[in-house]
Amino acid sequence: MPRLILVRHGQSQWNLENRFTGWWDVDLTEKGESEARAAGRLLKEKGIFPSVAFTSLQTRAIKTLHFALEAAGILWIPETKDWRLNERHYGGLTGLDKAETAARHGDEQVKIWRRSFDTPPPVLEKGSEFDLSSDPRYAGIDVPMTESLKDTIARVLPYYESSIVPHLKASADSCVIVSAHGNSLRALVKHLSQISDEEITGLEIPTGQPIVYDLDTDLAVIDRYYLSER
């Protein structure tokens, strides 16, 4: 059966510091690297070997993929990087401490910015420290200045359908791994598991824990589980 493996990047430096990260490029912590390697060892232990990989243009997801594939002994498989698998853009919240932001704006407002389905955070100011418009990796891309989860889904799902689905349909035993981020993976989980707009905002995806989707030949979900639980 076709199989899709989803892995959220290991702990990043800004996860550790409890800061809004979004599109800003931060590295893994030592714990994050360990989580990524553990994910790869688990794949190897369970005899699950993806033949193709996808990730974002962000260091924490790319390194997570590489550490995992190395630990699984399959660092050589082809991979594709694309901005549409990037984390949700947190706009003007980028770089801010989450607790300090809650103290300033109130818990309820921050909860709306973080967890509502279609309300984006404040727009990032053009030319500010975290403006990525001139970053060479995004040349030719209309870099967003803020995104809701709904906005993130609107870029992730078309990419999934156009670029990942063909690999899943290529053979009955195809296996694809996607190393990405909390919100870009929420977009895929929402679609695959048919989760409502209201429920998806509460879904927590832990770092470095492979989620396995066993699919039928039409790519309908047969089973979904954390690999560590099987």
Side-chain angles (χ1 to χ4, degrees), residues 103-158:
R104 185 179 303 125
H105 297 283
D107 289 337
E108 191 58 36
Q109 179 61 66
V110 173
K111 183 179 179 181
I112 290 170
W113 285 333
R114 291 187 67 191
R115 292 303 189 192
S116 74
F117 180 70
D118 55 6
T119 302
V123 173
L124 182 69
E125 186 178 338
K126 196 80 171 173
S128 68
E129 177 185 359
F130 300 115
D131 182 1
L132 292 167
S133 300
S134 60
D135 190 307
R137 86 189 80 183
Y138 302 120
I141 295 169
D142 186 13
V143 176
M145 289 299 173
T146 187
E147 288 181 308
S148 64
L149 178 56
K150 183 179 180 180
D151 296 327
T152 308
I153 291 169
R155 60 171 160 84
V156 172
L157 287 191

Side-chain angles (χ1 to χ4, degrees), residues 22-24 55-58 60-61 81-89 132 137-138 147 152 155-156 180-185:
W23 276 42
W24 195 246
T55 189
S56 71
L57 294 184
Q58 299 183 272
R60 57 195 185 272
K81 303 180 184 76
D82 197 281
W83 69 273
R84 285 166 289 190
L85 292 175
N86 276 18
E87 177 58 291
R88 170 190 172 191
H89 197 301
L132 292 167
R137 86 189 80 183
Y138 302 120
E147 288 181 308
T152 308
R155 60 171 160 84
V156 172
H181 308 263
N183 284 293
S184 49
L185 293 181

